Amino acid sequence: AAAAPVDFDDAASFRVAKERAVAAWERGYVRELVRRHDGNLSRAARAARMDRNHLRELLRRHGVSITDE
């Protein structure tokens, strides 16, 4: 499979660019995960094989509200 296009910012270091890419991926992942489980965090966390508290932290970190999904 071909790699997804990257928004390249030549002013950003590799580390910063990687942090931005990971954050964008995480945000999309948790948003879709919660949507697929109708906002049920316990089911979503179980499906992702992560602790529910970690899922809550990711939602908070990325500003994702379960009511938005």
Side-chain angles (χ1 to χ4, degrees):
V6 175
D7 290 330
F8 189 80
D9 177 2
D10 58 355
S13 67
F14 173 81
R15 189 178 116 253
V16 169
K18 182 179 175 184
E19 287 170 358
R20 288 177 185 164
V22 169
W25 182 87
E26 281 182 352
R27 188 171 27 263
Y29 181 87
V30 296
R31 187 174 275 150
E32 181 63 16
L33 180 67
V34 170
R35 187 194 68 75
R36 287 184 183 205
H37 294 282
D38 300 318
N40 185 314
L41 295 186
S42 293
R43 284 192 336 221
R46 203 173 305 120
R49 297 185 191 124
M50 73 171 68
D51 186 83
R52 191 180 72 222
N53 289 328
H54 182 60
L55 177 55
R56 284 184 180 187
E57 170 59 24
L58 288 173
L59 292 169
R60 185 201 61 74
R61 181 183 309 157
H62 297 295
V64 176
S65 169
I66 60 171
T67 58
D68 294 345
E69 307 310 312

